[in-house]
């Protein structure tokens, strides 16, 4: 971000008049750097300042291995509802992309989530404490045989990024890409709500988020924290709700949560997802869960 602060030797009046600009610039800088250290980007090819090791992420999503994995995923039929086996092994093929329509994988964008501490009410209602970068997500430049897909990258130990999975649909990448200069987009994954954060004002980007704000068009970050605390503070890992095995998500009225994990604040997905484990891959139909399920 360009440094808008300045000093002037002309006296205290100039310093006082510049102070509001300095405060705004500092707040905007904190918001944009909430999820990672600044990247030393080439002048003619700037990289996102909010994503560490972004060049490694670009190398990953544009690699032949990731493209082949996406092609294998797209070649595998989506498991049908009511099927007896939710897991479908993806076959190994020498040329997995052969015969498929042309597509490219877009540059990845940040997928940010609320932090457990923010949901518990123990963190201050500040962008740097409320939101964290959990994944990078990419989608395809065009649908392939009427299907879209999301490529998910996770941070690697010691730095860099690696392929974490591929999932049907592109909503995560579409919403995450709505972040702009001075704004941050994040998700409340338990209800699949997506929000935009402008300094300390939270705005909903979809119906689930608007419902999560009680129907309001915006709320302060402090007021939003009160809402998520009321929803999750007693359901976080280590709580009685968690230890009894109920922490499969949270549902507002008329909202479904898809998180299959036993840990809250882990995003769920719908449709099919590609799971990577031990060098193998399988398509798994996400099971829908509701509060207490």
């Amino acid at each position: 971000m360009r440094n808008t602060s300045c000093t002037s030797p002309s006296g205290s009046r100039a310093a006082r008049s510049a102070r509001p600009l300095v405060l705004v610039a500092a707040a905007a800088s904190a918001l944009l750097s909430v999820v990672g250290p600044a990247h030393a980007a080439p002048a003619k090819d700037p990289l996102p300042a909010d994503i560490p090791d972004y060049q490694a992420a670009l190398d990953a999503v544009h690699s032949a291995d990731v493209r082949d994995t996406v092609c294998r995923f797209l070649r595998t039929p989506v498991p049908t509802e009511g099927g007896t086996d939710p897991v479908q092994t993806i076959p190994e093929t020498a040329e997995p992309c052969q015969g498929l329509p042309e597509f490219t994988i877009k540059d990845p964008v940040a997928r940010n989530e609320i932090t457990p501490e923010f949901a518990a009410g123990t963190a201050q209602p500040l962008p740097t404490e409320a939101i964290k970068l959990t994944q990078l997500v990419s989608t395809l430049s065009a649908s392939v045989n009427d299907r879209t897909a999301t490529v998910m990258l996770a941070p690697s130990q010691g730095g860099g990024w690696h392929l974490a999975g591929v999932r049907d649909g592109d909503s995560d990448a579409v919403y995450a890409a709505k972040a702009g200069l001075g704004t941050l987009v994040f998700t409340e994954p338990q209800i699949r709500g997506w929000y935009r954060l402008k300094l300390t004002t939270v705005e909903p980007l979809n119906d689930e988020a608007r419902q999560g704000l009680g129907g309001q068009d915006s709320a302060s970050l402090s007021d939003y924290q009160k809402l998520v605390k009321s929803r999750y503070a007693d359901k976080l890992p280590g709580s009685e709700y968690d230890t009894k095995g109920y922490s499969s998500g949270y549902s507002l009225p008329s909202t479904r949560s898809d998180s299959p994990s036993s840990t809250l604040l882990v995003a769920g997905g719908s449709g099919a997802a590609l799971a990577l484990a031990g060098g193998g891959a399988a398509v798994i139909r996400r099971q829908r869960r509701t509060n207490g399920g």
Side-chain angles (χ1 to χ4, degrees), residues 21-275:
L21 294 178
V22 174
L23 292 175
V24 170
S29 177
L31 176 60
L32 289 175
S33 63
V34 63
V35 290
H39 215 301
K44 293 185 178 180
D45 186 21
L47 301 177
D50 59 343
I51 300 176
D53 299 321
Y54 190 70
Q55 187 59 56
L58 289 174
D59 294 343
V61 296
H62 297 313
S63 68
D65 286 345
V66 168
R67 183 178 176 83
D68 286 350
T69 301
V70 173
C71 288
R72 288 161 56 209
F73 176 81
L74 294 171
R75 283 188 178 280
T76 306
V78 178
T80 57
E81 291 286 356
T84 57
D85 188 356
V87 179
Q88 191 170 349
T89 302
I90 297 179
E92 291 284 352
T93 56
E95 298 290 342
C97 297
Q98 187 174 6
L100 288 178
E102 283 295 320
F103 69 90
T104 58
I105 302 174
K106 295 180 180 180
D107 292 349
V109 292
R111 183 184 185 279
N112 303 304
E113 295 183 17
I114 56 175
T115 66
E117 295 78 13
F118 179 76
T122 58
Q124 293 294 314
L126 300 171
T128 50
E129 297 192 34
I131 312 300
K132 68 175 180 178
L133 173 65
T134 56
Q135 287 182 330
L136 302 183
V137 288
S138 306
T139 189
L140 311 183
S141 60
S143 61
V144 176
N145 297 337
D146 297 322
R147 287 178 70 181
T148 58
T150 295
V151 178
M152 298 171 288
L153 300 181
S156 300
Q157 201 168 24
W161 298 86
H162 66 272
L163 180 64
V166 183
R167 186 168 63 205
D168 258 325
D170 60 1
S171 60
D172 277 17
V174 169
Y175 282 119
K178 293 181 180 293
L181 184 63
T183 66
L184 182 72
V185 168
F186 68 93
T187 182
E188 183 185 334
Q190 295 80 7
I191 63 170
R192 290 185 289 174
W194 282 91
Y195 306 83
R196 180 184 287 117
L197 181 62
K198 292 183 178 179
L199 295 181
T200 59
T201 299
V202 178
E203 300 174 346
L205 292 177
N206 61 2
D207 290 340
E208 290 85 352
R210 186 168 289 104
Q211 194 172 12
L213 292 182
Q216 301 178 87
D217 290 331
S218 66
S220 69
L221 190 58
S222 178
D223 287 343
Y224 173 65
Q225 183 178 30
K226 294 174 184 176
L227 292 171
V228 296
K229 180 181 178 181
S230 69
R231 290 200 276 270
Y232 310 124
D234 61 344
K235 300 176 180 66
L236 292 168
S239 66
E240 183 181 5
Y241 184 81
D242 173 55
T243 56
K244 288 186 176 180
Y246 293 124
S247 53
S248 57
Y250 181 93
S251 292
L252 292 172
S254 303
T255 304
R256 305 293 297 274
S257 175
D258 298 294
S259 175
S261 172
S262 61
T263 304
L264 277 171
L265 304 178
V266 174
S270 59
L274 177 132

